[in-house]
């Protein structure tokens, strides 16, 4: 069940894709990417913002909300790899693109600081927007044809090293 108008729009698109596949015999592939990230992502997103904070060794380390909200971070290389594999294997219908690994924003902050070689207190900015509390993929269907290759730890290391 979608949690916002954004989700309803996506669900409507999926239903139209199912109709196009069934009624018009079109090859339509539907992907549900979860929290995609990469080293050259726009800094408005949490992952690159955390990388920038760690690179500057900010103290304290700001985390929006309580930090207990969880996401499923999947590297952009794995999103592209999964999409290409799905098209190659003609996987139709919705496919969740995620790892199934829940990572809270507090955990992400700790991982990024560890990888950057420093620690500091986390300051929770509870007045800032946080989005959904828990958004983690069930990757069962994805794992039938593709296994994500870039761990969150490796993605953090790449980003801190300035690599995508």
């Amino acid at each position: 069940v979608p949690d916002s108008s954004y989700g309803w729009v996506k669900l409507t698109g999926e239903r139209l894709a199912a109709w196009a596949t069934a009624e018009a015999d079109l090859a339509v592939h539907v992907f549900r990417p979860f929290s995609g990230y990469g080293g050259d992502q726009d800094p408005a997103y949490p992952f690159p913002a955390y990388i920038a904070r760690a690179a500057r060794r900010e103290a304290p380390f700001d985390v929006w909300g309580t930090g207990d909200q969880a996401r499923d971070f999947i590297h952009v290389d794995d999103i592209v790899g999964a999409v290409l594999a799905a098209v190659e294997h003609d996987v139709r219908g919705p496919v969740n693109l995620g790892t199934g690994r829940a990572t809270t924003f507090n955990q992400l902050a700790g991982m990024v600081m560890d990888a950057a070689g420093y620690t500091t207190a986390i300051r929770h900015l509870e007045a800032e927007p946080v989005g959904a509390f828990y958004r983690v993929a069930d990757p069962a269907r994805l794992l039938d044809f593709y296994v994500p290759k870039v761990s969150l730890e490796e993605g953090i290391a790449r980003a801190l090293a300035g690599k995508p």
Side-chain angles (χ1 to χ4, degrees), residues 12-73:
T12 301
E14 288 180 10
R15 291 198 172 153
L16 288 171
W19 176 86
T21 298
E23 299 297 322
D25 197 32
L26 296 175
V28 179
H29 307 278
V30 177
F31 304 103
R32 295 174 178 163
F34 279 67
S35 295
Y37 73 93
D40 57 353
Q41 186 178 22
D42 187 288
Y45 290 93
F47 180 87
Y50 281 31
I51 295 297
R53 287 179 193 136
R56 293 188 300 265
R57 295 184 173 288
E58 285 188 9
F61 195 102
D62 289 341
V63 171
W64 289 12
T66 65
D68 294 324
Q69 58 275 25
R71 296 293 182 271
D72 184 339
F73 292 97

Side-chain angles (χ1 to χ4, degrees), residues 12-159:
T12 301
E14 288 180 10
R15 291 198 172 153
L16 288 171
W19 176 86
T21 298
E23 299 297 322
D25 197 32
L26 296 175
V28 179
H29 307 278
V30 177
F31 304 103
R32 295 174 178 163
F34 279 67
S35 295
Y37 73 93
D40 57 353
Q41 186 178 22
D42 187 288
Y45 290 93
F47 180 87
Y50 281 31
I51 295 297
R53 287 179 193 136
R56 293 188 300 265
R57 295 184 173 288
E58 285 188 9
F61 195 102
D62 289 341
V63 171
W64 289 12
T66 65
D68 294 324
Q69 58 275 25
R71 296 293 182 271
D72 184 339
F73 292 97
I74 181 169
H75 195 273
V76 66
D77 287 356
D78 286 319
I79 292 173
V80 171
V83 166
L84 293 174
V87 171
E88 179 182 333
H89 292 95
D90 197 26
V91 177
R92 300 199 189 176
V95 177
N96 292 332
L97 302 182
T99 64
R101 176 183 177 185
T103 303
T104 69
F105 285 99
N106 286 329
Q107 290 170 326
L108 180 63
M111 293 168 72
V112 169
M113 285 188 282
D114 286 347
Y118 88 111
T119 59
T120 188
I122 293 176
R123 176 173 54 192
H124 294 104
L125 304 177
E126 295 193 38
E128 297 295 339
V130 297
F133 184 75
Y134 187 85
R135 189 165 283 148
V136 179
D138 174 355
R141 189 149 192 244
L142 172 65
L143 297 175
D144 286 341
F145 63 90
Y146 184 84
V147 175
K149 296 167 180 47
V150 182
S151 69
L152 182 52
E153 291 80 3
E154 180 181 344
I156 290 168
R158 285 184 188 183

